Amino acid sequence: MFVPQILVKSEEIFEPELHISQYDRAREISKYLLMHYGELDDVFERAGHPLAAAHGYPRRLSELLRESARTTGTRVRTALDVGCNVGGVSHALSTWVEDRVVGVDISRRSIEVAKALSVGGGGVFSIVQQGPFTKDVEVRLPYPESCARVEFEVGDGADLESVEGSFDAVLLSNVVDRVADPELCLRQFGASERTLRSGGLLMIACPWSWYPEYSAPESWLGSARDATPSEEAVKALLASDFDLVTEVDEACVLRQNPREYDYFEAHVTVWRKH
Ligand SMILES: C[S@@+](CC[C@H](N)C(=O)[O-])C[C@H]1O[C@@H](n2cnc3c(N)ncnc32)[C@H](O)[C@@H]1O
C-alpha cells in the first residue's frame, strides 16, 4: 500500500537555513522534487504555459542516453548518476538500464529524500506559493516496473573511488559547473577503467552557468582560461579519450513560485570511451 511520507514540510520552507549548504536546504529540495517528479499541472497552474515544453527534463535526458546506447550498440547494465540530487534522472534510467543504477550526491539531505522516495514509492512535499503560503504536492514514482535496482549514496562526484563498480554509463547533469575542479572531475572518467569502462558512455548535461561560489574562475572550462566557449572546451578536454556520439540542447525549468521560473537549456553531449 502507498503511504505518502512527508519529504519537505511547509514550515521548513521559509527557514533561512543560512548555516546549511545550498542543496541541503528544504526550499531547494522542494524545487528539485518538483522538477524531477512533478506532473505538468503541479509545475504550472494554467494550461498552455509558455514554458510547458521544458517539463520532463529527467525523462528526456534518460531517453537521450538510451538512444545513444542504441545507436552505438552499447549494452548498459549499470549506470551512475553523478550529482543526482533527489534522484529523478536515476529513476528514469532504471526503466531501461538492465541491472543497477547508482545515484551519488554530496548533499546528504538530497540523498535521504531520494532514498525515502524509493522505499515509499512516492511522497508529499510543500512548494512555495507566495509569501508565507505553500501548497502540498503528492508524487509517486512514475516507474513501477523498473528493470534496474536503484541505489543512492552520499559521495563526492570529483572523487568516486568509494563508489563500487566500473559502470557502462555515467551521467553528469547540471553538476560540472557546481564542482570545485571541473577538469579534474571529468578527467577521472577517461583516465582509467575504475568508474567508466572502456566502450562505455559518458553524458554531460550542463548550462555552463559558472559562479565563483562553486569554482574559481581560473578553473572554469573555457571562457576566462583560454577564451573558448565551454561547449568547445569540454570537447577539447574529452577528445583524446572519447568519441563524440551526439550533441543537443535540452530545455529544463525549475519553479521558484507560480510567477517565477528558472528556465535553462543544458548543453548535452554523449561520449563513447575508447
Ligand atoms: C544544479 S543541481 C543538479 C541536480 C540534478 N543532477 C539535476 O540535473 O536536476 C547540482 C547537484 O550537484 C550536487 N553536487 C555539487 N557538488 C558535488 C560534488 N562534488 N559531488 C557530488 N554532487 C555534487 C549538488 O548537491 C546538487 O544536488
Side-chain angles (χ1 to χ4, degrees), residues 112-142:
E112 281 167 9
V113 168
K115 284 183 177 172
L117 263 168
S118 304
V119 171
V124 179
F125 56 95
S126 287
I127 60 172
V128 172
Q129 287 298 85
Q130 195 182 71
F133 303 113
T134 61
K135 79 172 179 186
D136 285 349
V137 173
E138 182 177 313
V139 292
R140 292 184 185 216
L141 286 188

PDB file of all heavy atoms in Angstrom, residues 112-142:
ATOM      1  N   GLU A 112      18.999  11.469   1.328  1.00  0.00           N
ATOM      2  CA  GLU A 112      17.987  10.919   2.251  1.00  0.00           C
ATOM      3  C   GLU A 112      16.604  10.953   1.608  1.00  0.00           C
ATOM      4  O   GLU A 112      15.836  10.000   1.695  1.00  0.00           O
ATOM      5  CB  GLU A 112      17.955  11.748   3.549  1.00  0.00           C
ATOM      6  CG  GLU A 112      19.082  11.408   4.503  1.00  0.00           C
ATOM      7  CD  GLU A 112      19.242  12.441   5.627  1.00  0.00           C
ATOM      8  OE1 GLU A 112      18.385  13.339   5.776  1.00  0.00           O
ATOM      9  OE2 GLU A 112      20.255  12.341   6.337  1.00  0.00           O
ATOM     10  N   VAL A 113      16.304  12.063   0.934  1.00  0.00           N
ATOM     11  CA  VAL A 113      14.993  12.192   0.288  1.00  0.00           C
ATOM     12  C   VAL A 113      14.874  11.202  -0.878  1.00  0.00           C
ATOM     13  O   VAL A 113      13.841  10.551  -1.062  1.00  0.00           O
ATOM     14  CB  VAL A 113      14.762  13.649  -0.178  1.00  0.00           C
ATOM     15  CG1 VAL A 113      13.554  13.766  -1.090  1.00  0.00           C
ATOM     16  CG2 VAL A 113      14.585  14.563   1.031  1.00  0.00           C
ATOM     17  N   ALA A 114      15.944  11.071  -1.662  1.00  0.00           N
ATOM     18  CA  ALA A 114      15.927  10.122  -2.790  1.00  0.00           C
ATOM     19  C   ALA A 114      15.676   8.697  -2.284  1.00  0.00           C
ATOM     20  O   ALA A 114      14.885   7.947  -2.872  1.00  0.00           O
ATOM     21  CB  ALA A 114      17.253  10.193  -3.554  1.00  0.00           C
ATOM     22  N   LYS A 115      16.323   8.352  -1.174  1.00  0.00           N
ATOM     23  CA  LYS A 115      16.130   7.004  -0.614  1.00  0.00           C
ATOM     24  C   LYS A 115      14.707   6.832  -0.087  1.00  0.00           C
ATOM     25  O   LYS A 115      14.073   5.802  -0.312  1.00  0.00           O
ATOM     26  CB  LYS A 115      17.112   6.778   0.545  1.00  0.00           C
ATOM     27  CG  LYS A 115      18.530   6.497   0.105  1.00  0.00           C
ATOM     28  CD  LYS A 115      19.393   6.218   1.326  1.00  0.00           C
ATOM     29  CE  LYS A 115      20.805   5.861   0.932  1.00  0.00           C
ATOM     30  NZ  LYS A 115      21.726   5.758   2.071  1.00  0.00           N
ATOM     31  N   ALA A 116      14.209   7.856   0.612  1.00  0.00           N
ATOM     32  CA  ALA A 116      12.862   7.769   1.178  1.00  0.00           C
ATOM     33  C   ALA A 116      11.821   7.586   0.070  1.00  0.00           C
ATOM     34  O   ALA A 116      10.894   6.786   0.196  1.00  0.00           O
ATOM     35  CB  ALA A 116      12.561   9.025   1.990  1.00  0.00           C
ATOM     36  N   LEU A 117      12.005   8.305  -1.029  1.00  0.00           N
ATOM     37  CA  LEU A 117      11.084   8.174  -2.162  1.00  0.00           C
ATOM     38  C   LEU A 117      11.117   6.761  -2.746  1.00  0.00           C
ATOM     39  O   LEU A 117      10.089   6.209  -3.107  1.00  0.00           O
ATOM     40  CB  LEU A 117      11.503   9.147  -3.259  1.00  0.00           C
ATOM     41  CG  LEU A 117      10.809  10.481  -3.334  1.00  0.00           C
ATOM     42  CD1 LEU A 117      11.562  11.388  -4.284  1.00  0.00           C
ATOM     43  CD2 LEU A 117       9.375  10.318  -3.800  1.00  0.00           C
ATOM     44  N   SER A 118      12.322   6.212  -2.830  1.00  0.00           N
ATOM     45  CA  SER A 118      12.466   4.879  -3.417  1.00  0.00           C
ATOM     46  C   SER A 118      11.774   3.845  -2.546  1.00  0.00           C
ATOM     47  O   SER A 118      11.095   2.948  -3.054  1.00  0.00           O
ATOM     48  CB  SER A 118      13.937   4.485  -3.534  1.00  0.00           C
ATOM     49  OG  SER A 118      14.627   5.442  -4.256  1.00  0.00           O
ATOM     50  N   VAL A 119      11.954   3.973  -1.237  1.00  0.00           N
ATOM     51  CA  VAL A 119      11.369   2.992  -0.324  1.00  0.00           C
ATOM     52  C   VAL A 119       9.848   3.128  -0.304  1.00  0.00           C
ATOM     53  O   VAL A 119       9.115   2.148  -0.401  1.00  0.00           O
ATOM     54  CB  VAL A 119      11.951   3.185   1.107  1.00  0.00           C
ATOM     55  CG1 VAL A 119      11.208   2.333   2.121  1.00  0.00           C
ATOM     56  CG2 VAL A 119      13.432   2.852   1.117  1.00  0.00           C
ATOM     57  N   GLY A 120       9.363   4.363  -0.209  1.00  0.00           N
ATOM     58  CA  GLY A 120       7.923   4.582  -0.071  1.00  0.00           C
ATOM     59  C   GLY A 120       7.168   4.574  -1.389  1.00  0.00           C
ATOM     60  O   GLY A 120       5.946   4.547  -1.397  1.00  0.00           O
ATOM     61  N   GLY A 121       7.877   4.667  -2.505  1.00  0.00           N
ATOM     62  CA  GLY A 121       7.207   4.705  -3.802  1.00  0.00           C
ATOM     63  C   GLY A 121       6.628   6.073  -4.137  1.00  0.00           C
ATOM     64  O   GLY A 121       5.923   6.246  -5.125  1.00  0.00           O
ATOM     65  N   GLY A 122       6.911   7.068  -3.283  1.00  0.00           N
ATOM     66  CA  GLY A 122       6.400   8.417  -3.535  1.00  0.00           C
ATOM     67  C   GLY A 122       6.443   9.220  -2.249  1.00  0.00           C
ATOM     68  O   GLY A 122       7.046   8.800  -1.265  1.00  0.00           O
ATOM     69  N   GLY A 123       5.814  10.371  -2.253  1.00  0.00           N
ATOM     70  CA  GLY A 123       5.811  11.196  -1.052  1.00  0.00           C
ATOM     71  C   GLY A 123       5.066  12.499  -1.268  1.00  0.00           C
ATOM     72  O   GLY A 123       4.547  12.766  -2.353  1.00  0.00           O
ATOM     73  N   VAL A 124       5.030  13.298  -0.175  1.00  0.00           N
ATOM     74  CA  VAL A 124       4.353  14.588  -0.208  1.00  0.00           C
ATOM     75  C   VAL A 124       5.363  15.655   0.202  1.00  0.00           C
ATOM     76  O   VAL A 124       6.156  15.431   1.127  1.00  0.00           O
ATOM     77  CB  VAL A 124       3.180  14.621   0.800  1.00  0.00           C
ATOM     78  CG1 VAL A 124       2.492  15.989   0.789  1.00  0.00           C
ATOM     79  CG2 VAL A 124       2.181  13.537   0.493  1.00  0.00           C
ATOM     80  N   PHE A 125       5.347  16.784  -0.493  1.00  0.00           N
ATOM     81  CA  PHE A 125       6.234  17.878  -0.109  1.00  0.00           C
ATOM     82  C   PHE A 125       5.538  19.204  -0.377  1.00  0.00           C
ATOM     83  O   PHE A 125       4.624  19.287  -1.197  1.00  0.00           O
ATOM     84  CB  PHE A 125       7.578  17.796  -0.866  1.00  0.00           C
ATOM     85  CG  PHE A 125       7.444  17.762  -2.360  1.00  0.00           C
ATOM     86  CD1 PHE A 125       7.545  18.929  -3.110  1.00  0.00           C
ATOM     87  CD2 PHE A 125       7.214  16.572  -3.029  1.00  0.00           C
ATOM     88  CE1 PHE A 125       7.419  18.915  -4.488  1.00  0.00           C
ATOM     89  CE2 PHE A 125       7.076  16.542  -4.409  1.00  0.00           C
ATOM     90  CZ  PHE A 125       7.181  17.707  -5.143  1.00  0.00           C
ATOM     91  N   SER A 126       5.998  20.229   0.346  1.00  0.00           N
ATOM     92  CA  SER A 126       5.411  21.552   0.168  1.00  0.00           C
ATOM     93  C   SER A 126       6.198  22.335  -0.864  1.00  0.00           C
ATOM     94  O   SER A 126       7.425  22.197  -0.945  1.00  0.00           O
ATOM     95  CB  SER A 126       5.440  22.317   1.487  1.00  0.00           C
ATOM     96  OG  SER A 126       4.488  21.777   2.354  1.00  0.00           O
ATOM     97  N   ILE A 127       5.499  23.135  -1.639  1.00  0.00           N
ATOM     98  CA  ILE A 127       6.163  24.052  -2.571  1.00  0.00           C
ATOM     99  C   ILE A 127       5.699  25.479  -2.275  1.00  0.00           C
ATOM    100  O   ILE A 127       4.607  25.682  -1.732  1.00  0.00           O
ATOM    101  CB  ILE A 127       5.902  23.682  -4.056  1.00  0.00           C
ATOM    102  CG1 ILE A 127       4.408  23.704  -4.392  1.00  0.00           C
ATOM    103  CG2 ILE A 127       6.508  22.328  -4.377  1.00  0.00           C
ATOM    104  CD1 ILE A 127       4.124  23.536  -5.891  1.00  0.00           C
ATOM    105  N   VAL A 128       6.522  26.430  -2.635  1.00  0.00           N
ATOM    106  CA  VAL A 128       6.227  27.835  -2.360  1.00  0.00           C
ATOM    107  C   VAL A 128       5.099  28.324  -3.268  1.00  0.00           C
ATOM    108  O   VAL A 128       5.111  28.069  -4.472  1.00  0.00           O
ATOM    109  CB  VAL A 128       7.482  28.701  -2.618  1.00  0.00           C
ATOM    110  CG1 VAL A 128       7.146  30.185  -2.534  1.00  0.00           C
ATOM    111  CG2 VAL A 128       8.583  28.346  -1.641  1.00  0.00           C
ATOM    112  N   GLN A 129       4.160  29.029  -2.663  1.00  0.00           N
ATOM    113  CA  GLN A 129       3.181  29.763  -3.458  1.00  0.00           C
ATOM    114  C   GLN A 129       3.570  31.245  -3.465  1.00  0.00           C
ATOM    115  O   GLN A 129       4.097  31.747  -4.414  1.00  0.00           O
ATOM    116  CB  GLN A 129       1.763  29.555  -2.906  1.00  0.00           C
ATOM    117  CG  GLN A 129       1.221  28.160  -3.195  1.00  0.00           C
ATOM    118  CD  GLN A 129       1.093  27.878  -4.688  1.00  0.00           C
ATOM    119  OE1 GLN A 129       2.056  27.464  -5.330  1.00  0.00           O
ATOM    120  NE2 GLN A 129      -0.077  28.085  -5.263  1.00  0.00           N
ATOM    121  N   GLN A 130       3.331  31.912  -2.332  1.00  0.00           N
ATOM    122  CA  GLN A 130       3.682  33.334  -2.255  1.00  0.00           C
ATOM    123  C   GLN A 130       3.795  33.697  -0.781  1.00  0.00           C
ATOM    124  O   GLN A 130       3.017  33.189   0.032  1.00  0.00           O
ATOM    125  CB  GLN A 130       2.578  34.158  -2.897  1.00  0.00           C
ATOM    126  CG  GLN A 130       2.970  35.571  -3.202  1.00  0.00           C
ATOM    127  CD  GLN A 130       1.780  36.319  -3.800  1.00  0.00           C
ATOM    128  OE1 GLN A 130       0.826  36.621  -3.099  1.00  0.00           O
ATOM    129  NE2 GLN A 130       1.851  36.613  -5.073  1.00  0.00           N
ATOM    130  N   GLY A 131       4.742  34.578  -0.463  1.00  0.00           N
ATOM    131  CA  GLY A 131       4.893  34.993   0.934  1.00  0.00           C
ATOM    132  C   GLY A 131       4.934  33.771   1.831  1.00  0.00           C
ATOM    133  O   GLY A 131       5.702  32.846   1.566  1.00  0.00           O
ATOM    134  N   PRO A 132       4.087  33.684   2.834  1.00  0.00           N
ATOM    135  CA  PRO A 132       4.145  32.529   3.734  1.00  0.00           C
ATOM    136  C   PRO A 132       3.326  31.341   3.238  1.00  0.00           C
ATOM    137  O   PRO A 132       3.237  30.332   3.926  1.00  0.00           O
ATOM    138  CB  PRO A 132       3.522  33.087   5.017  1.00  0.00           C
ATOM    139  CG  PRO A 132       2.551  34.114   4.538  1.00  0.00           C
ATOM    140  CD  PRO A 132       3.120  34.696   3.275  1.00  0.00           C
ATOM    141  N   PHE A 133       2.758  31.445   2.072  1.00  0.00           N
ATOM    142  CA  PHE A 133       1.834  30.394   1.629  1.00  0.00           C
ATOM    143  C   PHE A 133       2.570  29.299   0.840  1.00  0.00           C
ATOM    144  O   PHE A 133       3.418  29.584  -0.001  1.00  0.00           O
ATOM    145  CB  PHE A 133       0.715  30.978   0.766  1.00  0.00           C
ATOM    146  CG  PHE A 133      -0.045  32.057   1.475  1.00  0.00           C
ATOM    147  CD1 PHE A 133       0.031  33.367   1.041  1.00  0.00           C
ATOM    148  CD2 PHE A 133      -0.793  31.772   2.610  1.00  0.00           C
ATOM    149  CE1 PHE A 133      -0.651  34.373   1.708  1.00  0.00           C
ATOM    150  CE2 PHE A 133      -1.479  32.771   3.285  1.00  0.00           C
ATOM    151  CZ  PHE A 133      -1.402  34.077   2.838  1.00  0.00           C
ATOM    152  N   THR A 134       2.166  28.093   1.133  1.00  0.00           N
ATOM    153  CA  THR A 134       2.726  26.940   0.418  1.00  0.00           C
ATOM    154  C   THR A 134       1.556  26.054  -0.009  1.00  0.00           C
ATOM    155  O   THR A 134       0.428  26.257   0.442  1.00  0.00           O
ATOM    156  CB  THR A 134       3.656  26.103   1.319  1.00  0.00           C
ATOM    157  OG1 THR A 134       2.902  25.604   2.420  1.00  0.00           O
ATOM    158  CG2 THR A 134       4.837  26.922   1.827  1.00  0.00           C
ATOM    159  N   LYS A 135       1.853  25.101  -0.870  1.00  0.00           N
ATOM    160  CA  LYS A 135       0.836  24.063  -1.112  1.00  0.00           C
ATOM    161  C   LYS A 135       1.537  22.713  -1.168  1.00  0.00           C
ATOM    162  O   LYS A 135       2.744  22.636  -1.461  1.00  0.00           O
ATOM    163  CB  LYS A 135       0.027  24.350  -2.373  1.00  0.00           C
ATOM    164  CG  LYS A 135       0.689  23.988  -3.656  1.00  0.00           C
ATOM    165  CD  LYS A 135      -0.288  24.128  -4.835  1.00  0.00           C
ATOM    166  CE  LYS A 135       0.426  23.773  -6.129  1.00  0.00           C
ATOM    167  NZ  LYS A 135      -0.366  23.993  -7.318  1.00  0.00           N
ATOM    168  N   ASP A 136       0.791  21.679  -0.856  1.00  0.00           N
ATOM    169  CA  ASP A 136       1.369  20.345  -0.847  1.00  0.00           C
ATOM    170  C   ASP A 136       1.205  19.668  -2.204  1.00  0.00           C
ATOM    171  O   ASP A 136       0.162  19.802  -2.848  1.00  0.00           O
ATOM    172  CB  ASP A 136       0.703  19.480   0.234  1.00  0.00           C
ATOM    173  CG  ASP A 136       1.194  19.866   1.623  1.00  0.00           C
ATOM    174  OD1 ASP A 136       2.167  20.635   1.717  1.00  0.00           O
ATOM    175  OD2 ASP A 136       0.599  19.397   2.607  1.00  0.00           O
ATOM    176  N   VAL A 137       2.250  18.966  -2.598  1.00  0.00           N
ATOM    177  CA  VAL A 137       2.224  18.195  -3.841  1.00  0.00           C
ATOM    178  C   VAL A 137       2.506  16.740  -3.488  1.00  0.00           C
ATOM    179  O   VAL A 137       3.421  16.456  -2.715  1.00  0.00           O
ATOM    180  CB  VAL A 137       3.308  18.702  -4.825  1.00  0.00           C
ATOM    181  CG1 VAL A 137       3.413  17.794  -6.049  1.00  0.00           C
ATOM    182  CG2 VAL A 137       3.023  20.128  -5.255  1.00  0.00           C
ATOM    183  N   GLU A 138       1.704  15.862  -4.016  1.00  0.00           N
ATOM    184  CA  GLU A 138       1.946  14.428  -3.787  1.00  0.00           C
ATOM    185  C   GLU A 138       2.481  13.818  -5.079  1.00  0.00           C
ATOM    186  O   GLU A 138       1.909  14.054  -6.146  1.00  0.00           O
ATOM    187  CB  GLU A 138       0.646  13.731  -3.386  1.00  0.00           C
ATOM    188  CG  GLU A 138       0.860  12.258  -3.094  1.00  0.00           C
ATOM    189  CD  GLU A 138      -0.421  11.574  -2.620  1.00  0.00           C
ATOM    190  OE1 GLU A 138      -1.108  12.115  -1.741  1.00  0.00           O
ATOM    191  OE2 GLU A 138      -0.712  10.494  -3.161  1.00  0.00           O
ATOM    192  N   VAL A 139       3.564  13.097  -4.969  1.00  0.00           N
ATOM    193  CA  VAL A 139       4.107  12.434  -6.171  1.00  0.00           C
ATOM    194  C   VAL A 139       4.282  10.944  -5.902  1.00  0.00           C
ATOM    195  O   VAL A 139       4.459  10.526  -4.760  1.00  0.00           O
ATOM    196  CB  VAL A 139       5.485  13.029  -6.598  1.00  0.00           C
ATOM    197  CG1 VAL A 139       5.332  14.444  -7.097  1.00  0.00           C
ATOM    198  CG2 VAL A 139       6.516  12.961  -5.488  1.00  0.00           C
ATOM    199  N   ARG A 140       4.187  10.197  -6.958  1.00  0.00           N
ATOM    200  CA  ARG A 140       4.509   8.768  -6.893  1.00  0.00           C
ATOM    201  C   ARG A 140       5.602   8.497  -7.895  1.00  0.00           C
ATOM    202  O   ARG A 140       5.638   9.137  -8.946  1.00  0.00           O
ATOM    203  CB  ARG A 140       3.300   7.922  -7.255  1.00  0.00           C
ATOM    204  CG  ARG A 140       2.224   8.034  -6.207  1.00  0.00           C
ATOM    205  CD  ARG A 140       1.079   7.122  -6.533  1.00  0.00           C
ATOM    206  NE  ARG A 140       0.017   7.354  -5.574  1.00  0.00           N
ATOM    207  CZ  ARG A 140      -0.762   6.411  -5.099  1.00  0.00           C
ATOM    208  NH1 ARG A 140      -0.618   5.168  -5.502  1.00  0.00           N
ATOM    209  NH2 ARG A 140      -1.700   6.688  -4.233  1.00  0.00           N
ATOM    210  N   LEU A 141       6.456   7.553  -7.576  1.00  0.00           N
ATOM    211  CA  LEU A 141       7.477   7.196  -8.560  1.00  0.00           C
ATOM    212  C   LEU A 141       6.751   6.716  -9.811  1.00  0.00           C
ATOM    213  O   LEU A 141       5.918   5.809  -9.731  1.00  0.00           O
ATOM    214  CB  LEU A 141       8.387   6.093  -8.031  1.00  0.00           C
ATOM    215  CG  LEU A 141       9.398   6.513  -6.970  1.00  0.00           C
ATOM    216  CD1 LEU A 141      10.342   5.363  -6.688  1.00  0.00           C
ATOM    217  CD2 LEU A 141      10.175   7.727  -7.399  1.00  0.00           C
ATOM    218  N   PRO A 142       7.049   7.334 -10.939  1.00  0.00           N
ATOM    219  CA  PRO A 142       6.252   7.017 -12.124  1.00  0.00           C
ATOM    220  C   PRO A 142       6.679   5.739 -12.826  1.00  0.00           C
ATOM    221  O   PRO A 142       6.169   5.431 -13.880  1.00  0.00           O
ATOM    222  CB  PRO A 142       6.499   8.240 -13.020  1.00  0.00           C
ATOM    223  CG  PRO A 142       7.806   8.776 -12.586  1.00  0.00           C
ATOM    224  CD  PRO A 142       8.009   8.394 -11.160  1.00  0.00           C
TER     225      PRO A 142
END
